[in-house]
Amino acid sequence: MRLDLAQLRALRATVDAGTLDAAAEVLHVTPSAVSQRIKALESAAGRVLLVRSRPVRVTRAGRAVLRLARQVDLLAAETANEIGDEPAHAPVELAIAVNADSLGTWLLPALAELRESITFDLYREDQDQTALLLREGTVVAAVTAADQPVGGCPSTPLGVLRYRPAATPTFAQRWFPDGTTPAALGQAPMVNFDRDDDLQRRFLREHGDSSAATRPTHHVPTSDGFEQAVIAGFGWGMLTEAQLERLEPNQLTLLDPQATVDVPLYWQRWKLRPPSLDRLTHVVVTAGRAAQVPAG
């Protein structure tokens, strides 16, 4: 397969922008030129790389070529900075996938150390879903619950993100007067982050509630919003120890002081070794291990 930088950039721009027209604006060419470049790239690869939907979708073969396109752009940016004559170089952009609770607690303070040399494109996904973005080539690295390396990406343990079931004292007194019994859990309103959130369901399963009870469930898809919904008494929910520690006394109470749901976290990244990605890995692994409960 012969590589053409303009064709690779057309593929990346189209995926990032979602349509040929939007990619054309980014690249300052016509939509016809973008289409021709992608067709030429598909001809060279011998595979269909994009499904021309709105937005476009990347095929399995397209994911591999997209990952290559992003790697080429990253290496080009690193090389331009290395040979540049200007004392201040343009920041390198790195896309990262991260779960909401890491994003809302320890990650941003850690990334602040690199803000002068790297611009960050952060994708917020559930920790069980972030590895998919890495596999698709959308991001260069991910905080993920997947311990198996994605496409040969190195996987580094960060520790365990520990959650505890909490609610307001008033809510707990009303709905759990006898503790977290299966009957009470089957009726008490609950807060979920989104429809992929399995934390509360894990707690329910571990406490004997395997029913299909239709309990009232609120979906609040931000880390701060989820916390505020529990504080406001919408329902009970699983909060990280870091979230609980920063609250005022008596704002929330633990439904079961002994119960935890532990989510092991890993840092997965491309095997490619540009300096910016190495610096990012050092910062994330150091901060992540300091913020999590040690595994085991």
Side-chain angles (χ1 to χ4, degrees):
M1 178 178 175
R2 297 184 62 183
L3 300 179
D4 183 288
L5 294 182
Q7 294 169 7
L8 290 173
R9 285 170 180 157
L11 175 68
R12 175 182 176 177
T14 302
V15 173
D16 289 347
T19 66
L20 294 174
D21 289 345
E25 292 185 13
V26 172
L27 297 173
H28 305 291
V29 297
T30 65
S32 176
V34 175
S35 178
Q36 290 172 9
R37 291 174 187 180
I38 292 176
K39 287 180 180 177
L41 187 61
E42 289 178 324
S43 177
R47 299 286 190 280
V48 174
L49 304 179
L50 284 183
V51 177
R52 271 67 165 179
S53 54
R54 295 182 70 88
V56 296
R57 290 187 292 110
V58 188
T59 66
R60 181 176 180 181
R63 288 197 294 267
V65 180
L66 176 63
R67 185 165 56 249
L68 173 62
R70 295 190 191 281
Q71 290 173 346
V72 168
D73 276 352
L74 177 56
L75 289 175
E78 292 275 7
T79 302
N81 279 344
E82 186 176 345
I83 65 175
D85 296 327
E86 296 294 328
H89 303 315
V92 173
E93 179 181 293
L94 295 180
I96 309 167
V98 59
N99 62 304
D101 289 328
S102 292
L103 183 60
T105 52
W106 61 271
L107 184 68
L108 285 179
L111 297 184
E113 180 180 331
L114 302 174
R115 64 184 181 273
E116 300 294 335
S117 59
I118 299 173
T119 57
F120 297 101
D121 187 5
L122 299 177
Y123 289 74
R124 194 276 302 159
E125 289 287 349
D126 182 83
Q127 58 263 9
D128 295 317
Q129 304 296 322
T130 52
L132 177 61
L133 295 177
L134 187 61
R135 184 177 298 112
E136 291 177 344
T138 303
V139 299
V140 303
V143 177
T144 176
D147 59 338
Q148 292 299 317
V150 173
C153 295
S155 180
T156 303
L158 297 178
V160 170
L161 191 57
R162 177 159 291 169
Y163 292 84
R164 295 184 182 274
T168 65
T170 301
F171 183 95
Q173 184 176 13
R174 176 185 176 185
W175 292 96
F176 298 100
D178 300 316
T180 52
T181 63
L185 288 169
Q187 298 297 321
M190 182 173 70
V191 182
N192 271 359
F193 185 85
D194 58 22
R195 285 165 179 77
D196 293 324
D197 182 5
D198 193 48
L199 287 169
Q200 285 69 227
R201 289 189 290 270
R202 280 183 58 183
F203 178 80
L204 291 172
R205 291 192 296 270
E206 291 170 7
H207 282 70
D209 180 15
S210 58
S211 70
T214 308
R215 63 183 62 79
T217 302
H218 305 278
H219 296 90
V220 187
T222 69
S223 185
D224 288 344
F226 180 97
E227 178 183 318
Q228 290 303 312
V230 176
I231 292 172
F234 281 66
W236 68 273
M238 305 298 295
L239 294 174
T240 67
E241 291 187 329
Q243 289 172 311
L244 293 168
E245 288 170 359
R246 70 190 183 194
L247 297 178
E248 296 293 329
N250 300 321
Q251 271 190 291
L252 294 179
T253 185
L254 296 178
L255 299 182
D256 183 342
Q258 305 304 316
T260 63
V261 172
D262 288 349
V263 178
L265 294 181
Y266 302 85
W267 175 249
Q268 293 201 36
R269 52 160 289 180
W270 287 348
K271 287 190 294 185
L272 196 68
R273 298 295 301 271
S276 59
L277 188 50
D278 283 344
R279 292 196 303 273
L280 173 64
T281 294
H282 173 74
V283 165
V284 170
V285 171
T286 300
R289 286 178 171 172
Q292 316 308 319
V293 177

